[in-house]
Amino acid sequence: MLWDVYHKQVGANPLEFVTRTTGMLALVFLFLSLAVTPLRKITGANWLVRFRRMIGLFAFFYGFLHLLTYVAFDRYFNLKSIPADVVKRPFITIGMTALFLMIPLAITSTNKMVKRLGGKRWNLLHRLVYLAGVAGVFHYWLLVKSDTRLPLTFAFVLALLLGYRLLVKYAPPPSTQPGTSLFPRNE
C-alpha cells in the first residue's frame, strides 16, 4: 500500500483506497487461515498448520488497520461520534462485529493460551472465525453499492471453505475395512 501511495497509484481517493485495501487484506488472510485445514487434509501437507495462527494474526492486524483507517479518516479520531455511526450504518455494525469476534482469537493465539484453555475449549473458541468470516463478507457486501461481483466472489469462496468442513463432518468419506478397497476389482 505504501508503494502504491508513494507512486500515486491509488486512484482519485487515496483514503478510500487504503480503507478498502486493508479490509480486503483482512478477508484474504482470514480465508487463507480457513484454507489451511482443507489443503492440509487434501494434500497431506501437514506442515501448513504451523502457519495458520500467524496467518490469522495477519487477518486481525489488517482488520485492526481497517478499523483504524475508519477512525482516522472517516471519524477524524472523534471517538464520541463512533457509536452513533455504528447504529446508523448497518455495514459498520457488522464490520465491527467481525473485528470484535476476532479479538479473542488474536488474544488466545499463543501456545501458552492454548495450554491455559485446554485444546477442546481453545478449538471451540476458535470456531468464532467462521462467524467472523460470514460477518466480514456481509460487511463488504453491504458496503458495495453497485458492483457486487467481488463481495459475491468472497462469499462463494467462504461457502466452499465452510462447506468443506460441513461435508467432512456430516458426510465423511467411507472408511475401509482392512483387506478391502474403495475400488474393488472386477473378478
Side-chain angles (χ1 to χ4, degrees), residues 3 5 19 21 31 36-37 43 53 59 61 64 74 77-78 83 98-99 101 105 111 137 142 161 173:
W3 179 268
V5 169
T19 303
T21 302
F31 286 14
V36 167
T37 296
T43 66
R53 280 191 239 169
F61 170 74
F64 182 75
D74 195 352
F77 293 103
N78 181 359
L99 183 65
L101 287 170
L105 306 180
N111 288 336
V137 169
L142 288 174
L161 292 169

Side-chain angles (χ1 to χ4, degrees), residues 47-185:
W47 56 269
L48 288 170
V49 78
R50 287 185 269 155
F51 299 101
R52 183 172 42 206
R53 280 191 239 169
M54 180 183 63
I55 295 168
L57 286 171
F58 273 117
F60 177 74
F61 170 74
Y62 281 109
F64 182 75
L65 283 182
H66 185 63
L67 172 66
L68 193 58
T69 60
Y70 162 74
V71 170
F73 302 137
D74 195 352
R75 298 286 100 199
Y76 303 105
F77 293 103
N78 181 359
L79 301 180
K80 291 181 181 179
S81 70
I82 292 174
D85 199 35
V86 168
V87 170
K88 185 173 89 174
R89 303 191 319 188
F91 76 92
I92 294 176
T93 306
I94 294 167
M96 292 278 194
T97 301
L99 183 65
F100 288 146
L101 287 170
M102 292 173 63
I103 290 172
L105 306 180
I107 291 171
T108 61
S109 65
T110 64
N111 288 336
K112 190 174 182 179
M113 286 302 289
V114 174
K115 287 179 186 173
R116 191 177 200 181
L117 289 171
K120 286 184 180 183
R121 288 193 313 184
W122 186 86
N123 279 324
L124 186 63
L125 175 67
H126 279 253
R127 288 185 182 160
L128 287 176
V129 72
Y130 307 142
L131 294 175
V134 170
V137 169
F138 193 46
H139 164 72
Y140 190 24
W141 181 73
L142 288 174
L143 173 72
V144 174
K145 307 270 188 289
S146 57
D147 187 3
T148 58
R149 287 179 293 181
L150 202 49
L152 290 175
T153 302
F154 274 105
F156 177 73
V157 172
L158 183 63
L160 288 176
L161 292 169
L162 298 181
Y164 170 83
R165 285 165 169 79
L166 290 173
L167 186 68
V168 166
K169 184 173 182 174
Y170 295 109
S175 62
T176 58
Q177 300 285 330
T180 64
S181 171
L182 285 175
F183 307 102
R185 287 185 256 154

